[in-house]
Amino acid sequence: MTIKGRAFPEGFLWGGAVAAHQLEGGYKEGGKGLSTADIMTLGTNERPREITDGVVAGKYYPNHQAIDFYHRYPEDIELFAEMGFKCFRTSIAWTRIFPNGDESEPNEAGLQFYDDLFDECLKNGIQPVVTLAHFEMPYHLVKQYGGWRNRKLIQFYLNFAKVCFERYRDKVTYWMTFNEINNQTNFESDGAMLTDSGIIHQPGENRERWMYQAAHYELVASAAAVQLGHQINPDFQIGCMIAMCPIYPLTAAPADVLFAQRAMQTRFYFADVHCNGTYPQWLRNRFESEHFNLDITAEDLKILQAGTVDYIGFSYYMSFTVKDTGKLAYNEEHDLVKNPYVKASDWGWQVDPVGLRYAMNWFTDRYHLPLFIVENGLGAIDKKTADNQIHDDYRIDYLTDHLRQIKLAVLEDGVDLIGYTPWGCIDLVAASTGQMSKRYGFIYVDENDDGSGSLKRYKKDSFTWFQHVIATNGAEIE
Ligand code: BG6
């Protein structure tokens, strides 16, 4: 079988993906509250973003302005429509709807903003695909309740989800509950724990235990939201969102293979719970042997079972590699090694298109659910020429290589794929570093790391390339 000349299935959802805090800006407008994304300063690949206690005068917080999508979205949506987008993945900033997170009534101005944004998309033939919690939450919930350490967060999250599901029931079909919920496997990184769970570590505490506890409350909240959403609109498709980095053994030594398997089990147990509705036995055993004493009730387990997801949304940027460490417990901060068979991006992310086909087959074999690739892309430094051109052939190559593997997975292997939304379809603030210079977009935004620049938008070469891919429904990818 050949993929040459063959198109993607009819109705395939081509589009692009972003997250509220990384592009909206307007961090205090329309009654918005302070979010965890608003207290993270600018970092670099070498220097982590600082997490401050509230907004500190004199420090620079890139998400406050981001790319000012809050005011400029009609122009940006028009460009997405010109590219031929069928869908646009964004998130709803929790703090626009519930500024503190524990109010009983939502903030009408915030709800109206997303009504207007989604209407603008629909007017342009683009369906919104929405993540409820994408790496941010009201900072008040962190200060007052300790973030997702606290069971009360489940109810606050469900209040937020209910308001969104009811308000946008006729505008949104595809939802995701938590962005990259499994990135907190990296529980030693302060940034990951703040963005995923609103956890600020306390000295001496067992970080791994708190990761499992917070993730449990999130998984229960997600499963309850799936049930709630289906009651509000039975046509809703509600998915999880998993950061997929397949983990390979460095060699064929059985100990390396076994360790890589445990690493995969650890990184993807979140998907087991989302899709199968239960915790895997190896992890229950670990909870016991480590004496984690987690707060997991019988009622929670019923909710998990009843709220399995409709599809698996996932991001794919890179693969990981490990070698046996002599102990069968995976620690992502320490256990990754370099794979000699793949290249890496300027930010050290292993570039591995074949790993995407592998991952799609892995998900399909394990869960038998439709997949949706809701992030993929290359963060790179782009240069704008004197005549305002951006020749990003490296991005076109990266995306073409990945699309080839996606096509093989769909057309040869029979993977059921809903759509493909490359990350940061318009340049935005990087989540890990807060930089603008780590660019993913088809659209260049004239803005520097320190926020200076005209904010004007320019089409890159990849804009025209992706427009053609969509117009031909991927038929020329080979
Ligand atoms: C994913 C996140 O981790 O990767 C996005 O869902 C993020 O929010 C993207 O922006 C790319 O990472 P970064 O750090 O390059 O922005």
Side-chain angles (χ1 to χ4, degrees):
M1 198 190 281
T2 171
I3 57 167
K4 198 171 171 177
R6 296 176 65 203
F8 277 72
E10 207 171 313
F12 188 75
L13 289 180
W14 296 100
V18 300
H21 63 100
Q22 290 175 257
L23 91 166
E24 285 177 5
Y27 89 108
K28 276 184 176 168
E29 293 195 43
K32 182 182 172 297
L34 198 65
S35 112
T36 46
D38 297 326
I39 56 154
M40 294 180 81
T41 65
L42 173 65
T44 64
N45 216 18
E46 294 71 39
R47 194 189 67 245
R49 303 180 74 175
E50 194 188 336
I51 296 163
T52 56
D53 186 6
V55 174
V56 176
K59 300 227 180 238
Y60 178 61
Y61 300 92
N63 302 68
H64 289 187
Q65 168 181 259
I67 62 162
D68 194 33
F69 183 77
Y70 186 78
H71 296 108
R72 295 166 193 246
Y73 69 83
E75 179 196 344
D76 295 337
I77 304 289
E78 205 178 307
L79 287 167
F80 300 155
E82 193 182 328
M83 257 189 289
F85 280 17
K86 314 287 179 223
C87 72
F88 172 56
R89 173 183 177 232
T90 190
S91 62
I92 296 180
W94 190 340
T95 47
R96 290 202 192 281
I97 312 303
F98 289 99
N100 282 330
D102 58 358
E103 300 90 340
S104 49
E105 291 304 316
N107 170 36
E108 177 55 31
L111 286 166
Q112 190 59 48
F113 169 71
Y114 291 105
D115 260 323
D116 296 345
L117 172 62
F118 297 159
D119 286 345
E120 192 70 25
C121 290
L122 294 166
K123 192 175 92 188
N124 281 281
I126 297 172
Q127 65 162 298
V129 170
V130 173
T131 317
L132 284 171
H134 189 127
F135 283 0
E136 61 169 336
M137 73 179 72
Y139 185 51
H140 175 75
L141 295 183
V142 174
K143 291 292 280 182
Q144 192 69 27
Y145 300 90
W148 283 94
R149 291 173 191 273
N150 193 326
R151 180 176 277 280
K152 288 196 176 126
L153 267 275
I154 298 176
Q155 196 49 53
F156 296 142
Y157 176 88
L158 288 173
N159 295 344
F160 167 52
K162 182 165 186 280
V163 165
C164 295
F165 287 153
E166 285 176 345
R167 180 78 171 220
Y168 310 119
R169 79 182 286 285
D170 300 320
K171 297 183 184 178
V172 178
T173 301
Y174 287 96
W175 298 87
M176 277 162 275
T177 52
F178 287 90
N179 183 65
E180 292 191 338
I181 188 168
N182 62 324
N183 258 355
Q184 45 199 324
T185 312
N186 196 349
F187 53 82
E188 288 193 4
S189 136
D190 293 332
M193 290 313 288
L194 182 78
T195 51
D196 285 321
S197 289
I199 285 188
I200 294 173
H201 287 302
Q202 304 302 319
E205 71 181 354
N206 184 329
R207 293 183 169 202
E208 185 184 5
R209 182 210 179 259
W210 278 109
M211 182 273 286
Y212 283 120
Q213 183 64 73
H216 173 71
Y217 292 146
E218 287 161 21
L219 289 162
V220 171
S222 172
V226 169
Q227 292 175 77
L228 181 68
H230 286 154
Q231 282 158 19
I232 293 169
N233 184 347
D235 292 334
F236 277 173
Q237 294 294 304
I238 310 176
C240 54
M241 200 303 207
I242 301 292
M244 169 42 89
C245 314
I247 308 175
Y248 306 141
L250 182 64
T251 74
D256 282 356
V257 175
L258 186 70
F259 188 74
Q261 181 181 54
R262 176 49 52 90
M264 287 286 276
Q265 288 172 324
T266 309
R267 188 161 238 284
F268 300 111
Y269 90 83
F270 301 82
D272 293 346
V273 181
H274 275 307
C275 302
N276 300 336
T278 53
Y279 278 94
Q281 191 58 46
W282 73 267
L283 186 54
R284 293 170 187 240
N285 292 353
R286 182 163 174 81
F287 291 166
E288 287 271 324
S289 64
E290 294 296 312
H291 307 291
F292 281 155
N293 281 323
L294 300 179
D295 171 30
I296 299 180
T297 67
E299 180 57 24
D300 292 348
L301 296 178
K302 278 194 213 145
I303 295 171
L304 294 179
Q305 189 80 73
T308 55
V309 292
D310 299 317
Y311 69 96
I312 301 170
F314 73 96
S315 62
Y316 182 81
Y317 295 93
M318 60 191 140
S319 56
F320 289 164
T321 310
V322 291
K323 68 194 282 292
D324 179 36
T325 59
K327 50 180 179 359
L328 204 50
Y330 171 62
N331 181 319
E332 197 155 293
E333 196 79 347
H334 304 292
D335 294 347
L336 301 183
V337 297
K338 198 171 151 9
N339 182 341
Y341 299 100
V342 299
K343 290 186 286 194
S345 76
D346 290 346
W347 274 262
W349 291 14
Q350 290 190 171
V351 176
D352 176 14
V354 173
L356 177 51
R357 182 181 184 183
Y358 171 83
M360 292 169 76
N361 277 278
W362 185 88
F363 270 139
T364 301
D365 291 349
R366 199 170 169 98
Y367 305 116
H368 310 286
L369 282 173
L371 306 181
F372 197 158
I373 302 174
V374 295
E375 290 186 28
N376 174 228
L378 179 69
I381 293 177
D382 293 335
K383 293 258 177 306
K384 184 160 72 63
T385 61
D387 58 345
N388 295 329
Q389 307 286 310
I390 300 95
H391 301 303
D392 57 341
D393 44 305
Y394 38 89
R395 181 166 295 109
I396 296 174
D397 291 345
Y398 176 101
L399 294 171
T400 304
D401 290 346
H402 284 76
L403 271 172
R404 186 178 303 114
Q405 297 301 323
I406 294 171
K407 216 170 150 177
L408 285 163
V410 172
L411 298 182
E412 277 199 10
D413 307 336
V415 167
D416 181 2
L417 184 66
I418 297 166
Y420 177 65
T421 58
W423 175 252
C425 46
I426 180 165
D427 292 345
L428 38 60
V429 173
S432 53
T433 61
Q435 293 167 302
M436 274 304 299
S437 51
K438 190 180 186 189
R439 297 173 184 274
Y440 288 86
F442 303 113
I443 300 162
Y444 183 93
V445 177
D446 179 25
E447 184 176 358
N448 304 310
D449 284 346
D450 63 2
S452 61
S454 68
L455 295 178
K456 271 183 76 175
R457 278 61 168 154
Y458 298 92
K459 296 174 196 171
K460 303 183 191 176
D461 288 356
S462 56
F463 182 102
T464 318
W465 169 82
F466 198 47
Q467 186 181 45
H468 185 73
V469 169
I470 298 176
T472 51
N473 200 13
E476 291 176 20
I477 301 285
E478 55 183 56

